[in-house]
Amino acid sequence: MQIAVVGSGYVGLVAAACFAEIGHQVISIDNDAQKISRLQQGEVPIHEEHLPELLERHRGKALKFSTDLVGAVRQSAAIFIAVGTPSTEEGDADLSYVESVSRAVASAINDYKIVVEKSTVPVFTSNWIRKVMLLDGAPSELFDVASNPEFLREGTAVVDFLYPDRIVTGADTERCSSALCEIYRPLTDGSYYSRTDRAAVPAPAGWSAPARLIATSTKSAEIIKHASNAFLATKISFINAVANICEAVGADVKEVCQGIGSDSRIGSRFLNPGVGYGGSCFPKDLKAFRHVARENGYDFNLLSAVIAINDEQRTRFLRKVRTALWTLKGKKLAALGLAFKGGTDDIRESPAIEIAKSLLKEGCEIRAYDPAAIERSREVLPSKGISYHDSAYSAAEGADALLILTDWPEFANLDLERLRSTLGYPIVVDGRNLYDPTTMASHGFLYYSIGRADVQPAHRNGSPEKMATATSGKAAK
Ligand code: UGA
């Protein structure tokens, strides 16, 4: 099928490349001429595993880049809208880009097309798209509006797209619903997986069968997207709250996670406590979902609690750093990670960036390392008081403590002997629970993590000692 994907940001670019990969002819559209020209020349604007290979395979063949929205709409049978939907001051989604694309599509319509929301949008957006398109003269028989939410995660976006858990197609007419089914058929009937010429994108662990296609109404699909993100964020805030109780009573959140996560109704994924969730999706989508609920007469105060717990998690981490170091002014701190999570160079709403900013304000000197996000971080962090390094060990050189802020796999595999001898003081404050406390203590570290006892090296009897600290709650006092 000939497809136009409007917006070549994270979702749009990955979707365009993957649609080409599963056999469609795709035009990726953006109004940023510079970005399009860079894409045409072979640049890859985001750090995303497997994306460079897909772009290389399909660029100029099944995948073209253009700024000509009207031309692309005329050629295409399906137009996916994947433009930004940022938060407004009030927390609702700013849909002005979606509106202007819908108007442009209306002006170009020449035969039957499906117009598909791919961006995360609140319920009723499809109604609005339809309304403005009709107002702008698009004949009602020449288009249908659908919602096809995307569930890909940054860092594993290509794998998530090609091996999805489910595909949700929200459509209100049979014609539109069948067109969407047709687009995803190579994934749902498994024919893509038996092709010999497909890209070498390995299936994720545990993947066993082609995705189920869930056909719903457009409104249900819109709600599915918001509710999915809200549920995942709730799971994270829930485990962060449990971690805080574990700290207070001296229990171990890792053991607790094992205990609750092995109940198949709960599941162990997205049950990792830490410095809180960030990124361009959860923070924005939770506020937007709460806002749309309120506008429709329902006070979704569970989401307010989820947001509050998440915000508090950063404050608690800063308190931990203070507990580990006593005073902060003038302290040299190695910060591992700036991206909002491992595997991406995205720093939007990154807890690591917020923590670094707070520590700089306290007068600390930050020695930062991130495998991919340094360039982006330079643009948002103050230049005074921070230096950027090309490895974890270089950042750790002479530091008063090491802070782990992002869960990059390489941070979980550091040479602990080398790290200890590189640091000025053997103190690690781990905001992602990447290490086992006993191992850290046996390598001579004072180790602070989330929801587990703080430990220090063995002194007298050879076994690691648990520390009584202010963060260990009542028992410690
Ligand atoms: C999220 C959803 O997971 C995707 O399904 C969805 O498509 C996407 O938003 C979107 O709406 O576009 P993403 O923001 O890329 O994906 O990242 P996640 O992997 O979900 O992580 C979000 C945040 O939660 C990160 O800061 C991560 O470090 C944190 N997290 C995640 C935890 O603190 N604990 C966990 O157990 C899991």
Side-chain angles (χ1 to χ4, degrees):
M1 197 179 285
Q2 181 72 51
I3 293 176
V5 181
V6 188
S8 36
Y10 252 106
V11 170
L13 190 57
V14 171
C18 291
F19 281 142
E21 169 66 12
I22 63 173
H24 300 296
Q25 291 297 316
V26 186
I27 310 176
S28 168
I29 310 290
D30 205 287
N31 59 6
D32 179 342
Q34 244 187 2
K35 190 186 215 179
I36 288 297
S37 134
R38 285 208 220 112
L39 282 163
Q40 283 165 335
Q41 285 158 29
E43 274 185 45
V44 185
I46 50 175
H47 177 94
E48 195 58 56
E49 209 182 1
H50 305 300
L51 186 61
E53 298 95 280
L54 287 196
L55 294 179
E56 187 58 39
R57 275 165 79 88
H58 301 296
R59 182 183 303 111
K61 291 169 236 157
L63 175 59
K64 307 229 162 70
F65 296 100
S66 169
T67 52
D68 177 13
L69 174 58
V70 168
V73 169
R74 293 219 165 104
Q75 284 178 54
S76 302
I79 296 109
F80 284 79
I81 304 181
V83 295
T85 53
S87 268
T88 68
E89 291 272 296
E90 288 74 43
D92 58 336
D94 173 357
L95 298 172
S96 52
Y97 301 119
V98 176
E99 178 177 349
S100 61
V101 170
S102 311
R103 289 186 187 280
V105 172
S107 72
I109 219 152
N110 52 345
D111 53 14
Y112 178 77
K113 304 188 187 294
I114 60 167
V115 180
V116 192
E117 306 161 346
K118 197 72 168 149
S119 317
T120 304
V121 289
V123 65
F124 289 128
T125 303
S126 61
N127 287 13
W128 276 108
I129 294 177
R130 182 164 185 82
K131 234 183 244 178
V132 296
M133 286 186 65
L134 290 171
L135 279 172
D136 274 17
S140 65
E141 69 284 6
L142 285 197
F143 74 97
D144 277 310
V145 181
S147 165
N148 169 225
E150 190 45 67
F151 302 106
L152 55 82
R153 292 160 298 168
E154 290 184 17
T156 51
V158 171
V159 173
D160 289 344
F161 193 102
L162 293 175
Y163 299 93
D165 286 342
R166 80 298 205 188
I167 293 164
V168 173
T169 57
D172 297 327
T173 69
E174 194 43 51
R175 189 178 186 187
C176 180
S177 188
S178 337
L180 277 168
C181 282
E182 206 42 49
I183 290 172
Y184 285 104
R185 191 173 304 284
L187 296 181
T188 54
D189 70 5
S191 55
Y192 170 68
Y193 307 110
S194 47
R195 261 175 42 194
T196 48
D197 62 336
R198 70 194 176 102
V201 178
W207 185 85
S208 56
R212 195 174 142 213
L213 188 136
I214 301 169
T216 69
S217 69
T218 47
K219 275 189 215 153
S220 298
E222 289 165 338
I223 294 276
I224 286 170
K225 174 65 197 184
H226 264 161
S228 299
N229 276 3
F231 189 84
L232 291 169
T234 303
K235 213 172 167 188
I236 297 169
S237 278
F238 180 83
I239 202 61
N240 279 329
V242 171
N244 297 338
I245 300 168
C246 288
E247 281 177 19
V249 303
D252 181 327
V253 74
K254 197 162 177 220
E255 292 173 356
V256 173
C257 281
Q258 256 175 10
I260 59 177
S262 50
D263 181 329
S264 60
R265 292 169 304 171
I266 297 173
S268 57
R269 294 174 74 190
F270 273 69
L271 215 48
N272 300 315
V275 285
Y277 61 76
S280 64
C281 304
F282 286 175
K284 165 175 82 75
D285 293 351
L286 259 77
K287 286 187 190 140
F289 197 26
R290 183 177 60 175
H291 190 274
V292 82
R294 202 174 285 150
E295 280 205 321
N296 288 282
Y298 180 66
D299 183 4
F300 206 157
N301 51 26
L302 172 64
L303 298 187
S304 302
V306 169
I307 294 167
I309 292 170
N310 196 56
D311 292 344
E312 200 199 323
Q313 220 43 28
R314 293 170 202 185
T315 317
R316 288 184 65 97
F317 183 81
L318 289 167
R319 221 180 292 146
K320 251 180 218 299
V321 177
R322 207 183 281 281
T323 302
L325 292 171
W326 187 18
T327 64
L328 292 181
K329 197 168 165 200
K331 293 272 161 73
K332 241 193 248 177
L333 301 177
L336 295 195
L338 296 162
F340 81 97
K341 64 170 186 176
T344 176
D345 59 350
D346 197 338
I347 54 161
R348 286 175 287 175
E349 301 273 337
S350 169
I353 294 285
E354 292 311 314
I355 289 167
K357 278 185 185 165
S358 303
L359 291 169
L360 286 168
K361 260 197 208 135
E362 296 271 0
C364 296
E365 187 190 315
I366 302 284
R367 301 172 58 80
Y369 168 63
D370 187 288
I374 289 180
E375 282 322 304
R376 291 187 178 207
S377 303
R378 279 185 207 279
E379 291 165 19
V380 300
L381 286 172
S383 51
K384 204 163 160 262
I386 186 160
S387 56
Y388 296 94
H389 298 264
D390 58 8
S391 77
Y393 304 104
S394 153
E397 191 81 50
D400 292 301
L402 178 95
L403 315 182
I404 303 179
L405 303 176
T406 304
D407 54 350
W408 278 97
E410 71 169 81
F411 297 163
N413 292 302
L414 297 171
D415 174 342
L416 295 178
E417 288 305 315
R418 181 173 170 200
L419 182 67
R420 201 194 57 233
S421 58
T422 308
L423 281 164
Y425 292 91
I427 300 174
V428 173
V429 189
D430 182 354
R432 298 289 189 161
N433 283 4
L434 297 187
Y435 286 93
D436 169 48
T438 311
T439 310
M440 292 305 275
S442 66
H443 279 84
F445 288 98
L446 283 93
Y447 178 71
Y448 302 77
S449 57
I450 311 287
R452 302 181 297 178
D454 306 330
V455 292
Q456 59 189 347
H459 289 308
R460 286 173 296 275
N461 59 8
S463 64
E465 288 183 11
K466 289 188 177 177
M467 286 187 278
T469 65
T471 50
S472 313
K474 243 190 192 162
K477 291 174 200 150

